Amino acid sequence: MERLFSLSDAAGSALTRLPYVLRILLENVLRNAGDDAERSRAAILGWLDRATSEDEIPFLPSRVLMHDTTCVPALADIAGMRSALAEAGGDPSRLNPVLPVDVSVDHSLAVDFFGSSDAAARNMAREFERNRERYVFMKWASQTMRGVHVHPPGTGIMHTINLERLASVVTTTNGVVNPDTLIGTDSHTPMINGIGVLAWGVGGLEAESVMFGMPVMLRVPDVIGVRFNGRLRDGVLATDLALVVTERLRQTDLAGRFVEYVGPGVASLSAGERAVIANMAPEYGASTGYFPIDANTLRYLRATGRSDEHCALVEDYARRQALWFDADATPTYSDVIDIDLEQVGMSLAGPRRPQDRVTPAEIAKGADRHVAIAAITSCTNTSDPRLAVAAGLLAQKARARSMTVPAWVKTSFAPGSPTASRYLQRAGLLQPLSELGFDIVGYGCTTCIGNAGPLVESTRTDTPVAILSGNRNFPGRVHAQIDQSYLASPPLVVAYALAGTVDLDITRDAIADGVYLADLWPTGAEIDAALAAVDPDDVAASYDEAEQSPAWAKLHAPDSALFPWDAASTYIRRPPFASLDAPSRLGHFTAYPLLVVGDDITTDHISPAGQIPLGGDAAAYLIARGANAADLNVFSSRRGNWEVMLRGLFTNKTVRNLLDPTLQGGDTIHLPSGDVLPLWQAAERYRAANDSVVLLAGARYGTGSSRDWAAKGPALLGVRAVLATSFERIHRTNLIGMGILPLQISAPLATRERITIDAPADRLQPRAKIDVTIGDTSLTATAAVETKLEVETLRAGGILPLILRRALQHA
Ligand code: F3S
């Protein structure tokens, strides 16, 4: 007999006043919070009366989603814990995630080949050559770690896989029916909010602790209601709306807040269109972009092959738990923003930020900016069949007029999954796309993550511009030589490729020889007709085929419970964090400031992700071990090698070390000797002399992404505490995950003097007052520690030693 926690019983008449996302959080704490359930229930209901305390609530999702660049360091940590467990006499095969972990292999695929029918196969072959070592490691993990499933290269982009295949919306766990919830180690994880699944992006360390059954802690969030009125005009697409939403919501600070879409206009959007808007949550600065469950959600589930029986379960559960969307209801929100869908028009965003929406007329500057890259790319705009079909229809009309794409444009089409090729093939739209050079180049992130591959030789050198259906366009993201990129819908990408330039008003000027955009643009009715080709069985068939990847099957990976570490590997090294001997960094201690920085230090400043620069210590390390200087790769591909990551810390040239602002990024002063050294070498000297070190920072320390290396790096440097005037939420938890004490101070400290900190393990409590002494000056800092679990983590020396000790106890 299936059971459920009755939300009506738990919340009474307050239930329908709660935003839908809080109803799901309420269900989650009732089910998982144990002793904390009543306190958490009170915190959630208290939110309605703005009576919430600063209390955090525990959220334990039902599964975890990762991709190939974030999973490697996490899986290496688990592999390291297994090695440590075995050395301590435990059974390593028993150390497994307790939640399902799905891993996509999507972020590495590059567009080396394009414009031919074999482009996808050739790119895939290069992909396996380049990444063999990392893939063997991932395959080992999926073979030996229970619960870890790696979807081989070619299966698609993680968020599309999640939408089409993994998400159940409502699930049954141990006989209890509950909402499908997840966290993902990618900021675009909220894309799944488009079909009523609550999820958001977290850092790798947070994901690791969740994998082992520890909840994500969060304050009951502000929830912003975005009310859609009216409906989109014919010819206006989900991309246009997503860019309007991003522009509008960016005008409000949404950091740490949840967004939920309501109002009569919601019903006019398909679930695929909603997913496009939900995907851009990080671009508009929110944690979520949630659409409640309704008939369109069920329509999407059926169209992607979910069974009638399952759809009935989703509907029944959602209606009984007040999770079914009621357009007339008026939940309470922290704030409400109205958007009239009728007013949305054809939009692009750029040239350097996704929130800078522009019309086609506005981007025409009369300059001579040629389209160097035209890419139908990214989870954002290739997962919605309406958008892919619209691009195909535009291509079809262009080919009917014998139009071609100029030679200087690098064209590519990388759908979110192979399902798109099946329905485009059925609709007869793959051929015209191919005739314009938009052959499928593979199923992965490609141009969206900067793997656009080389530009074509005939690219004109005067200000090359990219036009892509992605969600980000920061300078250099798409391609190192491209400073200006415009985000646009897939059919608009094809139209600009045909034009070969962005310096025309594509809505008014002829694209070529008397052909105007209006002649090519597909109508809603034409899109609907082409969508009739979508077959619900396509999803299962295409995934089954991709999962059988012969190249993946041929990859030989060991099947031992322990990973055979290779000390010579430049990609995967045994991580030093997973140790039973890890000491707590707490205590009464005196430390040197290793580094002093100012405000707004981001995780990118701390641990860069991009190209490993020649001339730096990381490059020297790799070249000394046989790496090719021309193919050093990026830091994000080397996250399984701590030696490389250590040498990259703080090397961003814009970081000013306030110990001496004339120093280059990555250098510091070893204070006892006065020597200027690379940070990692200074840290080694301090360690050799048994000297403790701390890091001093200003406001918003750790802003940006949830990058775990931004905390792992300082842990490797031996940092015991970070003293800052404020911390970004996820980075604060990552520091604690690495055993580093975050201390909040009222004013920035820029000193070369030694600092005494009184933080013994037995006296640490959430928000404890900590005595800090610098010379004759004393001050009181606050431990930026929120929960008892965080105290326990710091006492254990970090989350990995904590997991390890618990595993040993249960071995
Ligand atoms: Fe990949 Fe770009 Fe989406 S990097 S996960 S396609 S936002």
Side-chain angles (χ1 to χ4, degrees):
M1 180 65 182
E2 289 163 347
R3 294 176 289 124
L4 52 79
F5 290 88
S6 168
L7 286 177
S8 306
D9 289 350
S13 61
L15 183 59
T16 53
R17 289 165 55 216
L18 283 174
Y20 293 89
V21 287
L22 294 191
R23 298 178 204 181
I24 297 174
L25 285 179
L26 178 60
E27 189 278 346
N28 197 278
V29 298
L30 291 177
R31 190 159 42 87
N32 295 316
D35 292 347
D36 277 336
E38 183 47 40
R39 181 187 60 77
S40 300
R41 187 185 79 93
I44 292 172
L45 295 180
W47 178 91
L48 283 171
D49 306 316
R50 300 293 185 269
T52 39
S53 64
E54 294 288 282
D55 266 6
E56 297 205 348
I57 58 169
F59 170 69
L60 190 61
S62 41
R63 56 197 176 90
V64 175
L65 188 62
M66 308 185 99
H67 59 70
D68 50 316
T69 56
T70 48
C71 83
V72 168
L75 296 177
D77 284 345
I78 301 175
M81 285 195 283
R82 279 188 164 198
S83 296
L85 193 59
E87 286 157 7
D91 177 359
S93 66
R94 294 182 62 168
L95 191 81
N96 295 293
V98 298
L99 297 179
V101 179
D102 283 279
V103 176
S104 64
V105 189
D106 51 10
H107 272 57
S108 313
L109 183 69
V111 189
D112 289 298
F113 304 98
F114 72 102
S116 65
S117 58
D118 63 353
R122 295 174 77 192
N123 286 326
M124 182 63 79
R126 283 287 280 137
E127 158 106 335
F128 271 86
E129 277 165 35
R130 280 198 185 112
N131 295 289
R132 199 181 163 282
E133 205 179 323
R134 292 195 310 135
Y135 291 175
V136 165
F137 175 69
M138 281 186 246
K139 189 167 180 186
W140 166 80
S142 68
Q143 285 177 172
T144 60
M145 287 181 197
R146 201 176 53 238
V148 175
H149 181 81
V150 176
H151 302 270
T155 315
I157 302 174
M158 61 190 293
H159 308 305
T160 314
I161 298 173
N162 199 18
L163 276 167
E164 293 181 345
R165 188 76 165 158
L166 301 176
S168 54
V169 184
V170 164
T171 186
T172 306
T173 313
N174 300 328
V176 181
V177 190
N178 49 266
D180 173 20
T181 50
L182 72 136
I183 50 146
T185 53
D186 184 272
S187 56
H188 295 100
T189 302
M191 187 169 199
I192 203 67
N193 297 171
I195 61 168
V197 175
L198 183 59
W200 60 85
V202 299
L205 277 170
E206 221 166 354
E208 281 177 51
S209 55
V210 168
M211 280 182 216
F212 288 92
M214 297 181 206
V216 175
M217 301 302 298
L218 72 160
R219 297 217 176 103
V220 183
D222 279 353
V223 185
I224 310 298
V226 176
R227 190 161 46 214
F228 284 154
N229 300 304
R231 58 187 309 134
L232 294 175
R233 287 175 287 132
D234 194 21
V236 177
L237 299 171
T239 316
D240 304 310
L241 176 56
L243 298 180
V244 166
V245 167
T246 302
E247 179 189 42
R248 278 290 304 282
L249 299 197
R250 259 291 161 191
Q251 292 162 10
T252 305
D253 178 11
L254 296 176
R257 294 162 143 193
F258 284 19
V259 161
E260 177 167 295
Y261 294 97
V262 286
V266 165
S268 69
L269 298 170
S270 71
E273 291 172 317
R274 296 171 188 178
V276 176
I277 294 141
N279 174 286
M280 291 192 73
E283 279 67 47
Y284 42 81
S287 299
T288 69
Y290 185 80
F291 286 87
I293 302 163
D294 71 355
N296 282 358
T297 318
L298 298 183
R299 226 167 261 135
Y300 181 85
L301 294 179
R302 288 196 192 94
T304 44
R306 274 78 166 206
S307 71
D308 289 342
E309 189 189 8
H310 185 71
C311 292
L313 174 72
V314 172
E315 179 168 3
D316 178 62
Y317 180 83
R319 287 190 186 280
R320 284 162 69 183
Q321 295 284 63
L323 295 174
W324 188 260
F325 180 49
D326 178 355
D328 299 323
T330 51
T332 303
Y333 291 107
S334 309
D335 204 352
V336 174
I337 296 171
D338 280 284
I339 292 181
D340 184 355
L341 302 188
E342 310 272 349
Q343 300 301 316
V344 176
M346 187 179 284
S347 299
L348 301 99
R352 296 185 183 88
R353 298 192 312 176
Q355 63 264 45
D356 295 334
R357 191 184 69 85
V358 282
T359 63
E362 286 167 335
I363 72 167
K365 296 189 190 312
D368 195 14
R369 295 175 303 158
H370 283 78
V371 176
I373 289 177
I376 307 175
T377 181
S378 151
C379 51
T380 322
N381 287 303
T382 67
S383 307
D384 177 18
R386 292 192 76 79
L387 294 174
V389 157
L393 288 169
L394 190 137
Q396 192 175 54
K397 292 185 185 189
R399 287 305 298 145
R401 289 163 175 79
S402 303
M403 296 174 81
T404 55
V405 170
W408 60 78
V409 184
K410 181 168 186 177
T411 45
S412 62
F413 179 23
S417 82
T419 308
S421 2
R422 292 194 180 231
Y423 62 71
L424 287 168
Q425 177 74 35
R426 287 179 195 282
L429 298 175
L430 269 189
Q431 182 62 24
L433 282 165
S434 166
E435 286 169 10
L436 292 182
F438 285 95
D439 297 273
I440 290 176
V441 292
Y443 306 98
C445 302
T446 61
T447 305
C448 179
I449 192 68
N451 291 330
L455 301 180
V456 295
E457 281 178 19
S458 55
T459 290
R460 299 175 54 157
T461 50
D462 42 354
T463 322
V465 170
I467 181 140
L468 69 152
S469 60
N471 48 32
R472 285 183 177 166
N473 51 355
F474 309 127
R477 174 177 167 105
V478 168
H479 192 282
Q481 283 169 258
I482 294 188
D483 176 54
Q484 298 186 38
S485 303
Y486 288 97
L487 309 177
S489 65
L492 206 47
V493 169
V494 179
Y496 276 102
L498 290 163
T501 174
V502 295
D503 283 307
L504 79 170
D505 178 353
I506 206 162
T507 55
R508 291 181 46 185
D509 304 336
I511 295 177
D513 296 334
V515 182
Y516 291 82
L517 188 66
D519 303 323
L520 306 178
W521 201 253
T523 65
E526 288 168 335
I527 295 173
D528 289 340
L531 283 171
V534 174
D535 182 333
D537 292 337
D538 279 348
V539 174
S542 60
Y543 279 95
D544 288 349
E545 189 181 323
E547 297 270 350
Q548 306 299 323
S549 158
W552 187 257
K554 262 197 252 155
L555 208 60
H556 175 72
D559 56 8
S560 50
L562 295 180
F563 185 70
W565 303 103
D566 175 2
S569 171
T570 56
Y571 279 97
I572 314 284
R573 292 284 307 280
R574 182 173 171 178
F577 318 110
S579 163
L580 276 163
D581 304 327
S584 169
R585 292 167 197 244
L586 298 173
H588 178 94
F589 60 93
T590 299
Y592 286 97
L594 175 66
L595 180 72
V596 181
V597 290
D599 294 343
D600 296 307
I601 292 296
T602 70
T603 49
D604 248 319
H605 288 127
I606 304 169
S607 180
Q611 182 64 43
I612 296 171
L614 266 175
D617 285 357
Y621 168 88
L622 288 167
I623 291 166
R625 280 153 189 81
N628 182 346
D631 200 11
L632 287 177
N633 219 326
V634 287
F635 278 110
S636 57
S637 289
R638 303 280 184 176
R639 286 179 185 159
N641 185 324
W642 60 271
E643 296 262 21
V644 177
M645 300 308 290
L646 174 69
R647 287 162 174 77
L649 291 169
F650 286 98
T651 49
N652 186 310
K653 289 201 173 0
T654 61
V655 176
R656 283 174 67 227
N657 182 351
L658 301 180
L659 285 174
D660 178 350
T662 64
L663 293 178
Q664 292 285 322
D667 285 346
T668 195
I669 302 173
H670 176 253
L671 291 167
S673 65
D675 292 346
V676 173
L677 297 169
L679 205 51
W680 65 278
Q681 287 183 15
E684 273 185 8
R685 271 218 210 158
Y686 282 120
R687 196 191 318 268
N690 261 335
D691 286 327
S692 294
V693 291
V694 294
L695 205 146
L696 307 180
R700 298 170 292 279
Y701 181 72
T703 305
S705 76
S706 52
R707 186 165 306 163
D708 56 354
W709 265 104
K712 285 178 169 173
L716 280 180
L717 294 172
V719 171
R720 295 183 71 168
V722 177
L723 291 84
T725 51
S726 64
F727 293 89
E728 195 275 340
R729 182 188 76 83
I730 298 178
H731 186 63
R732 182 195 69 78
T733 60
N734 281 345
L735 286 173
I736 292 172
M738 292 315 301
I740 298 172
L741 177 63
L743 286 176
Q744 192 162 3
I745 47 181
S746 56
L749 288 173
T751 179
R752 291 184 173 200
E753 286 195 66
R754 295 176 78 198
I755 300 172
T756 300
I757 294 173
D758 186 34
D762 56 346
R763 293 216 310 269
L764 185 71
Q765 293 297 329
R767 303 198 189 171
K769 298 298 175 204
I770 305 289
D771 291 332
V772 175
T773 313
I774 307 154
D776 296 336
T777 310
S778 294
L779 56 101
T780 303
T782 304
V785 178
E786 299 289 345
T787 65
K788 293 198 173 110
L789 178 59
E790 289 182 351
V791 172
E792 194 184 349
T793 304
L794 286 166
R795 285 180 183 152
I799 199 76
L800 301 183
L802 182 65
I803 293 170
L804 206 41
R805 283 175 197 141
R806 287 181 175 183
L808 196 57
Q809 278 165 11
H810 295 117

